[in-house]
Amino acid sequence: MALCSNTCGAALNQRPALLCFDDVHLALADATIMSVLRFLSASTPATLLLTSREDVMLPALAQVNLAGLEPEEAQELVSRLDLQAAPPLRQRLLAKTGRSPMLLRLAAGGLLGQETNAADFIEHLQTQPQVSAYILDTMLRDLSPAAAWLAGLIAVFRQPVDLFDETLGDLLRLRPAAWRR
């Protein structure tokens, strides 16, 4: 790390640089990567552009939160994705996805090349395999083993769970030791 810091710092002091890092949310739990980003942010004149789906707390780093696409941009993306849906269905799709480019692309992938009822597909978009996998991966990725175990347990019940129920307490005591953190 020290060698990298000295070498990178010296190189970045020679000329202006813009360093771009995409999907930084995937590295938030990696102490080494975050240390390098902190070093670059605080100790070099380089300008950093980080994209992330989650907040990245680094000193002296401005953060801009982006929402979904503007309505016209979302319509253009839907057109470029060649979705042949009636205007009301397009509007419903844009509303269901929050005009998120990633979710629009996932939905387009599910609608294109399959014989499916577009209205039903869009109405149940969150349960479509590729969309639900994306949502689950992004939501559950950073859970501790114990929290992931509890989320899995609650998912099995598919109804509200009384966390004070004695039977649930017994199950919690029986869970593997690695999940007790």
Side-chain angles (χ1 to χ4, degrees):
M1 173 70 179
L3 177 61
C4 175
S5 297
N6 293 338
T7 306
C8 292
L12 292 171
N13 283 320
Q14 297 297 316
R15 62 176 59 166
L18 170 63
L19 303 176
C20 302
F21 299 91
D22 193 19
D23 289 335
V24 173
H25 57 277
L26 298 174
L28 290 175
D30 188 312
T32 303
I33 293 173
M34 295 310 295
S35 177
V36 169
L37 291 176
R38 270 192 287 289
F39 166 77
L40 293 171
S41 169
S43 305
T44 69
T47 300
L48 299 182
L49 173 63
L50 311 176
T51 65
S52 177
R53 294 188 187 122
E54 299 171 24
D55 289 341
V56 178
M57 300 303 193
L58 292 174
L61 190 69
Q63 187 160 321
V64 177
N65 292 319
L66 301 177
L69 297 170
E70 292 297 320
E72 303 80 33
E73 295 170 325
Q75 288 286 0
E76 182 181 330
L77 177 58
V78 168
S79 294
R80 282 191 292 149
L81 293 171
D82 201 28
L83 289 177
Q84 305 298 318
L89 281 178
R90 281 181 172 219
Q91 290 304 322
R92 184 69 184 132
L93 177 63
L94 296 178
K96 289 280 281 200
T97 61
R99 300 188 310 265
S100 161
M102 175 69 78
L103 291 176
L104 286 169
R105 285 186 180 96
L106 287 170
L111 285 167
L112 295 172
Q114 290 186 18
E115 294 299 319
T116 184
N117 180 311
D120 287 342
F121 183 91
I122 291 169
E123 188 56 37
H124 302 289
L125 186 62
Q126 68 277 10
T127 63
Q128 300 303 323
Q130 66 275 30
V131 175
S132 58
Y134 168 77
I135 292 170
L136 284 172
D137 287 346
T138 57
M139 298 302 289
L140 300 177
R141 176 186 63 238
D142 295 325
L143 290 180
S144 69
W149 182 84
L150 183 58
L153 182 65
I154 292 170
V156 168
F157 286 115
R158 293 184 174 235
Q159 60 186 357
V161 174
D162 178 2
L163 294 177
F164 297 105
D165 182 289
E166 289 181 21
T167 306
L168 183 59
D170 293 340
L171 285 173
L172 291 172
R173 282 187 285 285
L174 293 173
R175 72 183 193 269
W179 294 351
R180 293 185 189 163
R181 290 185 212 121

